[in-house]
Amino acid sequence: MDLAEVIRVIRTRWYVMVPLLLLTVALTVGVDRSIPAKYQSTSEISLLASQSAIAGTDKLPGTGNPFLNYGSSLNDTADFLVRRLGSNDSASDLAKLGVTESYAVALAAAAQGPFITLTVTGSNPEHILTSMNTLTDYTVQQLAKVQEQAGVKPVDMIRSIVIVSPSAPAAQTKTKTQDVLGTAIGGLVIAFLATFVVESIIASRRRRRRRVPFGADSDEGFDADPESAAVETARDEVDDRPHTNGDSNGRPATAAQTSASRWYGMDGAADLDRDPFEPAHPELSGRAPGTRD
């Protein structure tokens, strides 16, 4: 099927294509308006070494700079804190604090340090910022609470600092765009399939209608009247029989017809073994068998 044929089918079956296209447009607009826009805000915090580790001791002086004291212990603490914030208890606490949006706490991707990324996603940009501040404060509180439960002195506690402030909520259109495009493409596919299915059905009926005998009802087809079909079949069988011993109407042949057919060599298998110069019935020719002119 070439492009011209496709265009012909669409023009012929426009009454199928056009309503489905209008329905597709309506569904696409409805999906676009029914799905609310999503906004997302992110923030990052970093864990810092304790004050005692920075100050050092008499035997091991400190650096005096918290950013020079990153070690594996801080990375392990960051991983522990991420797991704690991902628990159901933390989710329940945050919900009570007013964080109704979805949030995520994870180690910063491809980071070689104790860096934690906080993410809040929702439909209300103003409330997202409030929830982000609440999540940041809750993270700092959980870090201090864990160390207090372990009996760590305040001077030896690991601290935290916000290295990336909560960003302004940005629209997330990827999921919504995928839903809208999926609806539009699905509607177009259904419209084309329905159009060509209708064309195929109508073409098939047209071919069957052309095969109906003259005078028959085109809607009923060949099998509409079983008795008439049986009579026509019987007549066809009679017409197809060889009429070697009768006329074209099936009546028995007379003696004169049989003799004449044998005389002129129209007996089929009986003529195969006979001398072509010898009559089939010598008694009709008036001469003895085996004699020739």
Side-chain angles (χ1 to χ4, degrees):
M1 180 179 292
D2 55 7
L3 181 59
E5 181 66 14
V6 173
I7 295 176
R8 184 196 66 80
V9 173
I10 294 176
R11 292 180 59 185
T12 304
R13 309 303 169 196
W14 63 269
Y15 52 85
V16 178
M17 176 66 76
V18 172
L20 290 177
L21 288 179
L22 294 177
L23 180 60
T24 299
V25 173
L27 288 176
T28 303
V29 174
V31 170
D32 180 67
R33 295 184 177 181
S34 62
I35 299 178
K38 295 291 185 179
Y39 298 89
Q40 187 177 86
S41 177
T42 59
S43 175
E44 287 192 12
I45 65 174
S46 174
L47 302 187
L48 298 177
S50 63
Q51 295 178 357
S52 60
I54 297 173
T57 62
D58 296 337
K59 296 182 180 180
L60 183 63
T63 61
N65 187 347
F67 297 102
L68 295 177
N69 286 79
Y70 285 118
S72 60
S73 60
L74 294 179
N75 296 340
D76 295 339
T77 305
D79 182 71
F80 175 81
L81 185 59
V82 167
R83 297 176 185 274
R84 183 179 180 89
L85 293 175
S87 65
N88 294 331
D89 294 337
S90 296
S92 178
D93 293 341
L94 288 171
K96 294 177 181 179
L97 294 174
V99 180
T100 57
E101 298 84 359
S102 62
Y103 70 93
V105 181
L107 294 175
Q112 298 180 354
F115 308 123
I116 301 175
T117 301
L118 309 177
T119 305
V120 176
T121 305
S123 57
N124 189 343
E126 297 179 357
H127 195 268
I128 287 177
L129 286 177
T130 302
S131 298
M132 176 59 74
N133 293 328
T134 302
L135 178 60
T136 302
D137 295 339
Y138 183 80
T139 302
V140 175
Q141 294 172 5
Q142 289 299 308
L143 176 62
K145 183 177 181 180
V146 168
Q147 297 179 89
E148 289 176 358
Q149 292 175 350
V152 179
K153 297 179 181 180
V155 70
D156 296 329
M157 287 185 179
I158 295 175
R159 300 168 297 166
S160 63
I161 184 175
V162 177
I163 57 177
V164 178
S165 301
S167 61
Q172 304 294 307
T173 60
K174 181 178 179 180
T175 303
K176 183 177 181 178
T177 302
Q178 289 177 346
D179 294 338
V180 173
L181 289 179
T183 303
I185 294 174
L188 289 176
V189 171
I190 293 175
F192 274 93
L193 287 178
T195 300
F196 283 92
V197 167
V198 171
E199 172 66 17
S200 177
I201 294 174
I202 294 178
S204 177
R205 290 181 177 178
R206 187 183 301 115
R207 287 192 297 268
R208 289 199 302 267
R209 194 176 298 116
R210 290 174 180 173
R211 293 197 299 266
V212 175
F214 178 76
D217 190 355
S218 59
D219 295 334
E220 295 178 356
F222 290 109
D223 298 332
D225 189 355
E227 296 182 358
S228 300
V231 172
E232 292 294 337
T233 303
R235 290 179 180 176
D236 293 340
E237 293 177 354
V238 172
D239 293 340
D240 292 339
R241 295 173 185 170
H243 304 291
T244 57
N245 295 325
D247 57 9
S248 60
N249 294 324
R251 293 191 295 270
T254 61
Q257 291 173 339
T258 304
S259 300
S261 65
R262 292 185 178 275
W263 175 260
Y264 291 105
M266 299 174 63
D267 194 24
D271 294 333
L272 297 177
D273 300 330
R274 187 175 63 247
D275 186 353
F277 297 98
E278 181 180 353
H281 298 276
E283 63 275 8
L284 299 178
S285 62
R287 58 184 178 181
T291 61
R292 300 181 180 178
D293 293 338

